Amino acid sequence: MEKIALEGGKSQRESFLVFGKPRIEEDEIEEVVATLKSGWISTGPRVKKFEEKFSEYIGVKNCIALNSCTAGLFLALVLSGIGNNDEVITTTLTFASSANVIEHVGAKPVFVDIKESDLNFDEDLIESKINERTRALISVHMAGNSCNIEKVSKIVKRYNLVWINDAAHAIETEWDGKKISYYGDFSSYSFYATKNITTAEGGMLVVKDDKSYGRGRILSLHGISRDAWKRYSSEGFKHYEVIEPGFKYNMTDIQAALGIKQLEKIERYWKIRDEIAKMYINRLSEIDEIEPIEYSFDRRKPSYHLFILKITDDSLSRDFMMEALKYENIGTGIHYLPLHMQKYYKEKYSLKESEFPVATKLGKKIFSVPIGANITEKDVDDVICAIKKIICFVKKKIL
Ligand SMILES: *Cc1c(COP(=O)(O)O)cnc(C)c1O
């Protein structure tokens, strides 16, 4: 038996395979430098161009570039008038910010357990969480696999709920041939460093209703009635007006410069991840103890933001696997530790693990391996070989 690196053995890889490393090329660097030299480094013409190009890509109008996806989710709740005494439904298996924003407006997040197949919230459990206080639903499309849009559509219509897509994983995701923001009232995308395309930090809020869109634009920049670059443009001097106390959520032209160039490559990068995912799926058939979550092309097209594995063998510890992989020079991640098990939410709402059996179980069994425009067939081979080596080691030790 080969000794694992954690026990002093040698790792197959020389260099560390970083999890979620962005692919930044020369043209992106040039565009950022050109922005710095242009004189407009904050919100300006590049932000406008990025919004237009993004809108073209998703096929939906009314895009507002922001400094994060979190800001977009929060704004969507504010624009919907959601606050004290309201309840908002979301999944327990998501990043903290999907629920934090609900707290920020003074409403109560109500968590739904997940499905074992794709880790999205179980659409069949949503109705049992609805009461007279329920105002909105935030759907997360885990790893870039769309939730069941047909089921969610029926529920939001029946109970007259605001529907917000946390589309942080879902830029390329489609349902019935349409991008995810085609559905729902709001969608918020993320361009954080590890996301499918990046502006280092950044987000895009899509607002369906034209009036809310106008208000959202104003609220995203101090609640003043004109963008700064318009104020000082050649159109002549115009006074600005504070319409309501807004927020400081605008994107900069430096970020947009990155975004414009990244967006040009989005389909090429998707194809790379599609190939990587297929390699993983193919190679994982060699391993009995681990399987990938479901990435299906039925009515949906996955974005492959994450490639998530489930450990199906109870004698294998997920945390040991991740630690041992680190020693094999393989970076991994957890998406996510469920929110009903996080200190703040668990204590504030007295949440019981037994209310969320699937997420409680899988929260301890899942880990994500690198998938991205940087990843090569050799990297996939290294990941698979390292996992096999570690399983072999653990099994021999148990016997
Ligand atoms: C990354 C992420 C966010 C937050 O995105 P930011 O742009 O960092 O605010 C929200 N929800 C999910 C599911 C995410 O993965």
Side-chain angles (χ1 to χ4, degrees):
M1 179 182 53
E2 213 185 331
K3 214 172 185 186
I4 62 173
L6 180 62
E7 297 273 314
K10 201 180 162 330
S11 73
Q12 177 171 326
R13 274 186 78 88
E14 291 290 320
S15 64
F16 193 78
L17 180 60
V18 178
F19 183 89
K21 187 178 164 190
R23 178 162 167 174
I24 304 292
E25 293 174 333
E26 214 42 57
D27 57 332
E28 275 123 6
I29 294 167
E30 280 166 16
E31 190 66 19
V32 168
V33 171
T35 309
L36 290 170
K37 288 178 175 169
S38 75
W40 270 117
I41 59 173
S42 188
T43 310
R46 282 182 172 83
V47 168
K48 187 159 186 282
K49 183 175 169 189
F50 184 41
E51 288 173 343
E52 286 166 2
K53 292 281 173 195
F54 194 82
S55 180
E56 232 170 76
Y57 175 71
I58 58 172
V60 182
K61 60 177 187 165
N62 295 356
C63 290
I64 309 173
L66 302 172
N67 57 12
S68 75
C69 166
T70 305
L73 294 171
F74 174 76
L75 267 186
L77 291 170
V78 171
L79 290 168
S80 307
I82 289 164
N84 290 337
N85 298 321
D86 293 333
E87 294 188 2
V88 179
I89 291 177
T90 192
T91 172
T92 182
L93 200 80
T94 182
F95 185 56
S97 74
S98 318
N100 290 350
V101 293
I102 302 171
E103 291 285 320
H104 291 159
V105 296
K108 175 186 173 184
V110 174
F111 299 114
V112 178
D113 200 8
I114 59 167
K115 290 179 303 204
E116 181 133 13
S117 55
D118 64 4
L119 312 184
N120 273 320
F121 59 12
D122 187 338
E123 297 85 355
D124 296 334
L125 296 177
I126 295 172
E127 279 191 274
S128 68
K129 301 278 181 174
I130 294 176
N131 60 39
E132 64 284 353
R133 290 183 170 180
T134 311
R135 293 280 317 280
L137 176 145
I138 299 180
S139 46
V140 180
H141 307 279
M142 245 332 253
N145 290 309
S146 169
C147 71
N148 188 315
I149 295 289
E150 189 179 321
K151 287 185 181 179
V152 173
S153 297
K154 281 191 184 140
I155 293 167
V156 296
K157 211 172 276 163
R158 187 172 311 143
Y159 297 93
N160 195 24
L161 304 180
V162 175
W163 181 3
I164 301 166
N165 285 303
D166 177 339
H169 299 179
I171 300 182
E172 306 93 334
T173 301
E174 293 179 3
W175 176 269
D176 282 350
K178 298 270 196 293
K179 295 283 189 293
I180 222 66
S181 43
Y182 177 83
Y183 308 97
D185 301 300
F186 300 89
S187 296
S188 192
Y189 292 92
S190 176
F191 311 120
Y192 176 64
T194 59
K195 298 286 156 59
N196 285 359
I197 62 167
T198 184
T199 61
E201 297 281 358
M204 191 73 81
L205 177 65
V206 183
V207 184
K208 281 291 169 57
D209 176 67
D210 288 336
K211 241 175 105 183
S212 288
Y213 164 67
R215 185 173 168 227
R217 195 162 268 297
I218 288 167
L219 276 182
S220 71
L221 192 64
H222 303 297
I224 62 179
S225 65
R226 288 203 165 277
D227 293 349
W229 72 281
K230 272 194 201 154
R231 269 191 279 144
Y232 300 110
S233 75
S234 54
E235 288 167 27
F237 188 84
K238 290 202 182 80
H239 295 285
Y240 70 82
E241 215 173 11
V242 180
I243 292 172
E244 46 179 328
F247 307 94
K248 174 64 182 175
Y249 287 163
N250 55 306
M251 180 182 273
T252 68
D253 265 24
I254 301 173
Q255 292 165 302
L258 267 171
I260 290 163
K261 288 293 161 190
Q262 289 262 298
L263 192 57
E264 288 172 5
K265 302 166 186 179
I266 192 165
E267 283 304 305
R268 186 154 57 84
Y269 287 177
W270 181 87
K271 283 196 185 77
I272 295 172
R273 292 196 310 280
D274 183 46
E275 279 169 26
I276 297 295
K278 282 170 181 152
M279 281 179 214
Y280 272 130
I281 290 167
N282 187 28
R283 295 293 307 276
L284 281 161
S285 64
E286 300 164 16
I287 303 174
D288 291 335
E289 294 82 358
I290 285 180
E291 63 182 32
I293 64 163
E294 184 184 289
Y295 292 88
S296 62
F297 285 83
D298 33 30
R299 295 177 69 178
R300 60 189 190 179
K301 174 185 165 185
S303 76
Y304 301 115
H305 169 53
L306 299 166
F307 200 79
I308 304 179
L309 307 182
K310 292 188 275 194
I311 297 180
T312 53
D313 185 314
D314 286 341
S315 64
L316 265 183
S317 147
R318 185 266 314 273
D319 291 354
F320 179 82
M321 175 61 73
M322 290 178 71
E323 181 70 2
L325 281 170
K326 194 175 82 190
Y327 278 83
E328 302 295 339
N329 273 336
I330 311 276
T332 56
I334 300 178
H335 303 89
Y336 296 92
L337 299 168
L339 292 180
H340 73 269
M341 296 165 85
Q342 298 286 354
K343 180 179 165 56
Y344 177 82
Y345 291 106
K346 186 174 69 182
E347 289 175 6
K348 180 165 182 185
Y349 298 110
S350 311
L351 299 172
K352 304 261 174 309
E353 293 189 358
S354 56
E355 293 171 57
F356 308 91
V358 183
T360 302
K361 182 183 82 168
L362 287 178
K364 299 167 188 156
K365 292 284 170 195
I366 49 176
F367 66 103
S368 308
V369 289
I371 185 166
N374 287 319
I375 302 299
T376 64
E377 187 166 3
K378 158 89 170 54
D379 296 332
V380 172
D381 185 59
D382 289 342
V383 172
I384 296 293
C385 290
I387 289 175
K388 279 180 165 177
K389 189 164 118 180
I390 294 159
I391 291 176
C392 195
F393 172 82
V394 172
K395 292 274 158 182
K396 288 270 162 60
K397 228 174 142 177
I398 290 168
L399 287 177

